[in-house]
Amino acid sequence: MACIGVGNQGSGNMGSFLRDDRVQVVAICDVDAGRATNSAGTAKVTGERNITNDYRELIDRNDIDAVSIGTPDHWHVPIALAAVRSGKDIYCEKPVSLYVTEGRVLADAVKEHGRIFQTGTWRRSRAACRRASELALNGYLGEMKRVEVGIPEGFGIRGGFTGMEEPQPVPENLDYDRWLGPAPKAPYTEARVHFNFRWILDYSAGYITDWGAHYIDIAHWGIGADGSGPREIIGTGKQKTEGIYDAPTDLDIRYAYDNGVEIHMRTSAERRDWGIRFIGSEADCYVENVTYTPSDQNLKRVELKESDTKLYESVDHHRNFIDGVIDRKPTAAPADVAHSSAVACHLGTIAVLGGRTLKWDPETETIDNDPEATSMLTRTPREGFAG
């Protein structure tokens, strides 16, 4: 494997792969030389050929079977597409895309080239999430009415940065132009890069995609909406007008699906509100990561019937990817599933930014009622950085 982007989440992913004795990490790529060097030491990677700030130097190498992508969101699809087209399998962090149309291009390319793809929506490899989803999907909660999705409000800014920071000299260890990549030119400030990219729309969409990509993914799993999407999206929220952090906050989004289920995603300052609650006509079930709590405790003793739908079972998200690479079998969170989960998040962002009601066609992936919103389904990459 080659690991591309080895900061916060990327280094954690690398550590998980290193614990699998079927894996050898042979190359490291990061635009921050310090992070690249540290991760190379952890993985025992040596040599100029194997430590780089330019992923293109690794893409065509025949000694690399798969890549792990842990970059900021705006780099996910360009790097993943290059890897797919070079015949490599991909583990890519969530959300799989920055905007709708590039996600579709990637999902189609993965299928066309027959690659194995795993998205970092690791709750698909948690027994609690699978159990809650199976209870919902198979009618044990009664007729499904609604799924409540709670995410944090505001920004989880690290480093004490607030407001508009003055431009600063670019550190010698950082290739900042390559960090920006397909995103627009912008003056360097420490507050913009690394973890805090999440709160800037040029690179991400805040908690809608940071946590929403996980939670919408499980909500889709439990209502049978994988590979599909909502028909109507109504969004309200706030957006800061000063400073560099402009992702929407304090939001309320309602998604209506063909099967009559509504997914309601909203922000809360209370941790107890964060997670997924499947609400049926007879019972409800809350789940977040490793625990689930049905309102009727008898549901904990339910054994699925032979005729019930059983969801994909994985107990380790990273090992599941390597299983797929070796056996050439689908993973727990393949590209088409990741795309439909990300699309719902992107549509929520578009709805919130304009206080809009969107009419969405999940078959054609088009907005039927709002030309301005339609223009937000895609972006033009900066010259020289197209995927």
Side-chain angles (χ1 to χ4, degrees), residues 216-250:
I216 291 289
D217 187 62
I218 297 302
H220 277 182
W221 213 19
I223 68 171
D226 277 353
S228 180
R231 288 288 178 181
E232 182 179 80
I233 306 95
I234 303 172
T236 59
K238 298 178 182 178
Q239 182 185 24
K240 290 186 180 297
T241 57
E242 297 180 356
I244 63 173
Y245 302 125
D246 60 352
T249 62
D250 306 324

mmCIF file of all heavy atoms in Angstrom, residues 216-250:
data_model
loop_
_atom_site.group_PDB
_atom_site.id
_atom_site.type_symbol
_atom_site.label_atom_id
_atom_site.label_comp_id
_atom_site.label_asym_id
_atom_site.label_seq_id
_atom_site.Cartn_x
_atom_site.Cartn_y
_atom_site.Cartn_z
ATOM 1 N N ILE A 216 -25.913 9.818 7.933
ATOM 2 C CA ILE A 216 -26.822 9.608 6.801
ATOM 3 C C ILE A 216 -26.580 8.238 6.197
ATOM 4 O O ILE A 216 -27.515 7.552 5.758
ATOM 5 C CB ILE A 216 -26.632 10.716 5.744
ATOM 6 C CG1 ILE A 216 -27.139 12.062 6.263
ATOM 7 C CG2 ILE A 216 -27.332 10.347 4.437
ATOM 8 C CD1 ILE A 216 -28.644 12.176 6.373
ATOM 9 N N ASP A 217 -25.333 7.809 6.176
ATOM 10 C CA ASP A 217 -24.980 6.494 5.648
ATOM 11 C C ASP A 217 -25.725 5.387 6.390
ATOM 12 O O ASP A 217 -26.302 4.480 5.774
ATOM 13 C CB ASP A 217 -23.468 6.303 5.772
ATOM 14 C CG ASP A 217 -22.976 5.039 5.095
ATOM 15 O OD1 ASP A 217 -23.133 4.927 3.868
ATOM 16 O OD2 ASP A 217 -22.435 4.159 5.792
ATOM 17 N N ILE A 218 -25.758 5.450 7.721
ATOM 18 C CA ILE A 218 -26.459 4.438 8.502
ATOM 19 C C ILE A 218 -27.974 4.599 8.368
ATOM 20 O O ILE A 218 -28.721 3.609 8.301
ATOM 21 C CB ILE A 218 -26.023 4.489 9.975
ATOM 22 C CG1 ILE A 218 -24.532 4.166 10.093
ATOM 23 C CG2 ILE A 218 -26.853 3.530 10.825
ATOM 24 C CD1 ILE A 218 -24.135 2.806 9.522
ATOM 25 N N ALA A 219 -28.450 5.848 8.312
ATOM 26 C CA ALA A 219 -29.884 6.063 8.090
ATOM 27 C C ALA A 219 -30.327 5.437 6.770
ATOM 28 O O ALA A 219 -31.364 4.755 6.704
ATOM 29 C CB ALA A 219 -30.191 7.565 8.104
ATOM 30 N N HIS A 220 -29.552 5.631 5.704
ATOM 31 C CA HIS A 220 -29.869 5.008 4.421
ATOM 32 C C HIS A 220 -29.868 3.488 4.528
ATOM 33 O O HIS A 220 -30.716 2.802 3.936
ATOM 34 C CB HIS A 220 -28.848 5.441 3.369
ATOM 35 C CG HIS A 220 -29.139 6.758 2.748
ATOM 36 N ND1 HIS A 220 -28.354 7.298 1.742
ATOM 37 C CD2 HIS A 220 -30.121 7.671 2.973
ATOM 38 C CE1 HIS A 220 -28.860 8.473 1.380
ATOM 39 N NE2 HIS A 220 -29.920 8.717 2.110
ATOM 40 N N TRP A 221 -28.935 2.951 5.273
ATOM 41 C CA TRP A 221 -28.826 1.494 5.447
ATOM 42 C C TRP A 221 -30.116 0.938 6.045
ATOM 43 O O TRP A 221 -30.633 -0.082 5.608
ATOM 44 C CB TRP A 221 -27.645 1.206 6.364
ATOM 45 C CG TRP A 221 -26.896 -0.065 6.091
ATOM 46 C CD1 TRP A 221 -26.893 -0.809 4.952
ATOM 47 C CD2 TRP A 221 -26.004 -0.716 7.009
ATOM 48 N NE1 TRP A 221 -26.051 -1.891 5.092
ATOM 49 C CE2 TRP A 221 -25.492 -1.857 6.347
ATOM 50 C CE3 TRP A 221 -25.584 -0.455 8.301
ATOM 51 C CZ2 TRP A 221 -24.581 -2.733 6.945
ATOM 52 C CZ3 TRP A 221 -24.672 -1.314 8.897
ATOM 53 C CH2 TRP A 221 -24.184 -2.437 8.231
ATOM 54 N N GLY A 222 -30.625 1.636 7.063
ATOM 55 C CA GLY A 222 -31.783 1.145 7.787
ATOM 56 C C GLY A 222 -33.121 1.373 7.116
ATOM 57 O O GLY A 222 -34.114 0.755 7.498
ATOM 58 N N ILE A 223 -33.173 2.252 6.108
ATOM 59 C CA ILE A 223 -34.448 2.468 5.402
ATOM 60 C C ILE A 223 -34.402 1.936 3.971
ATOM 61 O O ILE A 223 -35.319 2.168 3.184
ATOM 62 C CB ILE A 223 -34.865 3.961 5.400
ATOM 63 C CG1 ILE A 223 -33.914 4.816 4.543
ATOM 64 C CG2 ILE A 223 -34.955 4.496 6.816
ATOM 65 C CD1 ILE A 223 -34.399 6.249 4.316
ATOM 66 N N GLY A 224 -33.314 1.237 3.642
ATOM 67 C CA GLY A 224 -33.209 0.627 2.315
ATOM 68 C C GLY A 224 -32.988 1.624 1.200
ATOM 69 O O GLY A 224 -33.473 1.414 0.081
ATOM 70 N N ALA A 225 -32.233 2.698 1.488
ATOM 71 C CA ALA A 225 -32.044 3.755 0.484
ATOM 72 C C ALA A 225 -30.637 3.776 -0.103
ATOM 73 O O ALA A 225 -30.270 4.751 -0.760
ATOM 74 C CB ALA A 225 -32.365 5.121 1.102
ATOM 75 N N ASP A 226 -29.835 2.732 0.117
ATOM 76 C CA ASP A 226 -28.511 2.684 -0.499
ATOM 77 C C ASP A 226 -28.614 2.805 -2.015
ATOM 78 O O ASP A 226 -29.444 2.156 -2.648
ATOM 79 C CB ASP A 226 -27.818 1.357 -0.161
ATOM 80 C CG ASP A 226 -27.134 1.393 1.188
ATOM 81 O OD1 ASP A 226 -27.076 2.473 1.795
ATOM 82 O OD2 ASP A 226 -26.653 0.331 1.630
ATOM 83 N N GLY A 227 -27.760 3.633 -2.573
ATOM 84 C CA GLY A 227 -27.746 3.801 -4.023
ATOM 85 C C GLY A 227 -28.880 4.633 -4.559
ATOM 86 O O GLY A 227 -29.003 4.822 -5.769
ATOM 87 N N SER A 228 -29.730 5.151 -3.681
ATOM 88 C CA SER A 228 -30.850 5.986 -4.093
ATOM 89 C C SER A 228 -30.683 7.357 -3.454
ATOM 90 O O SER A 228 -29.577 7.840 -3.270
ATOM 91 C CB SER A 228 -32.164 5.326 -3.681
ATOM 92 O OG SER A 228 -33.267 6.112 -4.070
ATOM 93 N N GLY A 229 -31.802 7.996 -3.097
ATOM 94 C CA GLY A 229 -31.706 9.306 -2.477
ATOM 95 C C GLY A 229 -33.065 9.921 -2.242
ATOM 96 O O GLY A 229 -34.102 9.347 -2.607
ATOM 97 N N PRO A 230 -33.100 11.082 -1.632
ATOM 98 C CA PRO A 230 -34.373 11.747 -1.342
ATOM 99 C C PRO A 230 -35.000 12.342 -2.595
ATOM 100 O O PRO A 230 -34.326 12.536 -3.609
ATOM 101 C CB PRO A 230 -33.963 12.851 -0.362
ATOM 102 C CG PRO A 230 -32.548 13.164 -0.751
ATOM 103 C CD PRO A 230 -31.938 11.864 -1.175
ATOM 104 N N ARG A 231 -36.289 12.626 -2.500
ATOM 105 C CA ARG A 231 -36.999 13.325 -3.573
ATOM 106 C C ARG A 231 -37.112 14.817 -3.281
ATOM 107 O O ARG A 231 -37.159 15.634 -4.207
ATOM 108 C CB ARG A 231 -38.399 12.743 -3.750
ATOM 109 C CG ARG A 231 -38.427 11.376 -4.370
ATOM 110 C CD ARG A 231 -38.077 11.417 -5.844
ATOM 111 N NE ARG A 231 -38.067 10.071 -6.415
ATOM 112 C CZ ARG A 231 -37.777 9.817 -7.673
ATOM 113 N NH1 ARG A 231 -37.474 10.801 -8.504
ATOM 114 N NH2 ARG A 231 -37.779 8.576 -8.125
ATOM 115 N N GLU A 232 -37.173 15.160 -2.004
ATOM 116 C CA GLU A 232 -37.310 16.561 -1.625
ATOM 117 C C GLU A 232 -36.399 16.844 -0.437
ATOM 118 O O GLU A 232 -36.268 16.026 0.472
ATOM 119 C CB GLU A 232 -38.758 16.881 -1.252
ATOM 120 C CG GLU A 232 -38.995 18.343 -0.886
ATOM 121 C CD GLU A 232 -40.442 18.624 -0.550
ATOM 122 O OE1 GLU A 232 -40.851 18.329 0.595
ATOM 123 O OE2 GLU A 232 -41.169 19.121 -1.432
ATOM 124 N N ILE A 233 -35.754 18.009 -0.463
ATOM 125 C CA ILE A 233 -34.856 18.420 0.608
ATOM 126 C C ILE A 233 -35.210 19.848 0.997
ATOM 127 O O ILE A 233 -35.234 20.748 0.141
ATOM 128 C CB ILE A 233 -33.379 18.379 0.160
ATOM 129 C CG1 ILE A 233 -33.029 17.001 -0.412
ATOM 130 C CG2 ILE A 233 -32.452 18.731 1.324
ATOM 131 C CD1 ILE A 233 -33.135 16.902 -1.910
ATOM 132 N N ILE A 234 -35.512 20.060 2.274
ATOM 133 C CA ILE A 234 -35.828 21.392 2.794
ATOM 134 C C ILE A 234 -34.772 21.736 3.834
ATOM 135 O O ILE A 234 -34.592 20.984 4.805
ATOM 136 C CB ILE A 234 -37.231 21.427 3.431
ATOM 137 C CG1 ILE A 234 -38.286 20.992 2.422
ATOM 138 C CG2 ILE A 234 -37.541 22.825 3.966
ATOM 139 C CD1 ILE A 234 -39.670 20.816 3.030
ATOM 140 N N GLY A 235 -34.091 22.859 3.645
ATOM 141 C CA GLY A 235 -33.010 23.194 4.560
ATOM 142 C C GLY A 235 -33.027 24.626 5.041
ATOM 143 O O GLY A 235 -33.329 25.549 4.280
ATOM 144 N N THR A 236 -32.710 24.814 6.308
ATOM 145 C CA THR A 236 -32.500 26.139 6.880
ATOM 146 C C THR A 236 -31.255 26.067 7.756
ATOM 147 O O THR A 236 -30.862 25.001 8.236
ATOM 148 C CB THR A 236 -33.691 26.599 7.735
ATOM 149 O OG1 THR A 236 -33.899 25.667 8.804
ATOM 150 C CG2 THR A 236 -34.954 26.708 6.907
ATOM 151 N N GLY A 237 -30.638 27.209 7.968
ATOM 152 C CA GLY A 237 -29.451 27.238 8.805
ATOM 153 C C GLY A 237 -28.779 28.591 8.765
ATOM 154 O O GLY A 237 -29.312 29.557 8.212
ATOM 155 N N LYS A 238 -27.597 28.659 9.337
ATOM 156 C CA LYS A 238 -26.833 29.891 9.385
ATOM 157 C C LYS A 238 -25.496 29.696 8.702
ATOM 158 O O LYS A 238 -24.951 28.596 8.653
ATOM 159 C CB LYS A 238 -26.607 30.311 10.845
ATOM 160 C CG LYS A 238 -27.879 30.597 11.627
ATOM 161 C CD LYS A 238 -27.554 30.944 13.067
ATOM 162 C CE LYS A 238 -28.819 31.191 13.872
ATOM 163 N NZ LYS A 238 -28.506 31.479 15.301
ATOM 164 N N GLN A 239 -24.956 30.814 8.193
ATOM 165 C CA GLN A 239 -23.629 30.816 7.594
ATOM 166 C C GLN A 239 -22.915 32.084 8.038
ATOM 167 O O GLN A 239 -23.468 33.177 7.933
ATOM 168 C CB GLN A 239 -23.702 30.760 6.065
ATOM 169 C CG GLN A 239 -22.325 30.708 5.396
ATOM 170 C CD GLN A 239 -22.419 30.787 3.880
ATOM 171 O OE1 GLN A 239 -23.408 31.315 3.353
ATOM 172 N NE2 GLN A 239 -21.407 30.299 3.186
ATOM 173 N N LYS A 240 -21.697 31.940 8.535
ATOM 174 C CA LYS A 240 -20.951 33.109 8.976
ATOM 175 C C LYS A 240 -20.583 33.977 7.780
ATOM 176 O O LYS A 240 -20.267 33.481 6.703
ATOM 177 C CB LYS A 240 -19.690 32.686 9.733
ATOM 178 C CG LYS A 240 -19.975 32.068 11.089
ATOM 179 C CD LYS A 240 -18.681 31.811 11.847
ATOM 180 C CE LYS A 240 -18.964 31.196 13.210
ATOM 181 N NZ LYS A 240 -19.729 32.098 14.081
ATOM 182 N N THR A 241 -20.643 35.275 7.957
ATOM 183 C CA THR A 241 -20.319 36.209 6.874
ATOM 184 C C THR A 241 -18.963 36.869 7.071
ATOM 185 O O THR A 241 -18.513 37.614 6.217
ATOM 186 C CB THR A 241 -21.401 37.298 6.780
ATOM 187 O OG1 THR A 241 -21.504 37.969 8.045
ATOM 188 C CG2 THR A 241 -22.736 36.696 6.409
ATOM 189 N N GLU A 242 -18.308 36.599 8.208
ATOM 190 C CA GLU A 242 -16.974 37.141 8.470
ATOM 191 C C GLU A 242 -16.025 36.003 8.808
ATOM 192 O O GLU A 242 -16.420 35.006 9.400
ATOM 193 C CB GLU A 242 -17.015 38.146 9.627
ATOM 194 C CG GLU A 242 -17.860 39.380 9.346
ATOM 195 C CD GLU A 242 -17.856 40.342 10.530
ATOM 196 O OE1 GLU A 242 -17.252 39.987 11.569
ATOM 197 O OE2 GLU A 242 -18.461 41.413 10.415
ATOM 198 N N GLY A 243 -14.770 36.197 8.446
ATOM 199 C CA GLY A 243 -13.777 35.184 8.757
ATOM 200 C C GLY A 243 -13.688 34.127 7.677
ATOM 201 O O GLY A 243 -14.455 34.119 6.706
ATOM 202 N N ILE A 244 -12.735 33.220 7.842
ATOM 203 C CA ILE A 244 -12.491 32.217 6.808
ATOM 204 C C ILE A 244 -13.398 30.999 6.950
ATOM 205 O O ILE A 244 -13.549 30.231 6.006
ATOM 206 C CB ILE A 244 -11.015 31.762 6.804
ATOM 207 C CG1 ILE A 244 -10.646 31.088 8.130
ATOM 208 C CG2 ILE A 244 -10.086 32.930 6.513
ATOM 209 C CD1 ILE A 244 -9.253 30.481 8.116
ATOM 210 N N TYR A 245 -14.022 30.807 8.110
ATOM 211 C CA TYR A 245 -14.861 29.630 8.330
ATOM 212 C C TYR A 245 -16.296 29.941 7.909
ATOM 213 O O TYR A 245 -17.015 30.675 8.587
ATOM 214 C CB TYR A 245 -14.800 29.210 9.794
ATOM 215 C CG TYR A 245 -13.393 28.893 10.262
ATOM 216 C CD1 TYR A 245 -12.846 29.530 11.367
ATOM 217 C CD2 TYR A 245 -12.613 27.961 9.585
ATOM 218 C CE1 TYR A 245 -11.556 29.249 11.787
ATOM 219 C CE2 TYR A 245 -11.322 27.673 9.994
ATOM 220 C CZ TYR A 245 -10.800 28.318 11.099
ATOM 221 O OH TYR A 245 -9.512 28.041 11.507
ATOM 222 N N ASP A 246 -16.691 29.382 6.765
ATOM 223 C CA ASP A 246 -17.977 29.755 6.171
ATOM 224 C C ASP A 246 -18.911 28.579 5.929
ATOM 225 O O ASP A 246 -19.943 28.723 5.280
ATOM 226 C CB ASP A 246 -17.751 30.493 4.841
ATOM 227 C CG ASP A 246 -17.000 29.663 3.810
ATOM 228 O OD1 ASP A 246 -16.515 28.559 4.151
ATOM 229 O OD2 ASP A 246 -16.886 30.123 2.653
ATOM 230 N N ALA A 247 -18.590 27.393 6.427
ATOM 231 C CA ALA A 247 -19.517 26.267 6.295
ATOM 232 C C ALA A 247 -20.782 26.553 7.099
ATOM 233 O O ALA A 247 -20.737 27.256 8.113
ATOM 234 C CB ALA A 247 -18.856 24.978 6.772
ATOM 235 N N PRO A 248 -21.922 26.026 6.679
ATOM 236 C CA PRO A 248 -23.178 26.303 7.398
ATOM 237 C C PRO A 248 -23.192 25.674 8.792
ATOM 238 O O PRO A 248 -22.614 24.606 9.011
ATOM 239 C CB PRO A 248 -24.255 25.692 6.495
ATOM 240 C CG PRO A 248 -23.538 24.694 5.661
ATOM 241 C CD PRO A 248 -22.152 25.200 5.482
ATOM 242 N N THR A 249 -23.872 26.361 9.719
ATOM 243 C CA THR A 249 -23.978 25.886 11.096
ATOM 244 C C THR A 249 -25.434 25.989 11.553
ATOM 245 O O THR A 249 -26.272 26.579 10.880
ATOM 246 C CB THR A 249 -23.110 26.736 12.044
ATOM 247 O OG1 THR A 249 -23.597 28.093 12.023
ATOM 248 C CG2 THR A 249 -21.653 26.730 11.609
ATOM 249 N N ASP A 250 -25.709 25.430 12.723
ATOM 250 C CA ASP A 250 -27.043 25.537 13.342
ATOM 251 C C ASP A 250 -28.131 25.243 12.306
ATOM 252 O O ASP A 250 -28.999 26.078 12.033
ATOM 253 C CB ASP A 250 -27.237 26.934 13.941
ATOM 254 C CG ASP A 250 -26.108 27.292 14.899
ATOM 255 O OD1 ASP A 250 -25.626 26.381 15.595
ATOM 256 O OD2 ASP A 250 -25.708 28.452 14.939
#
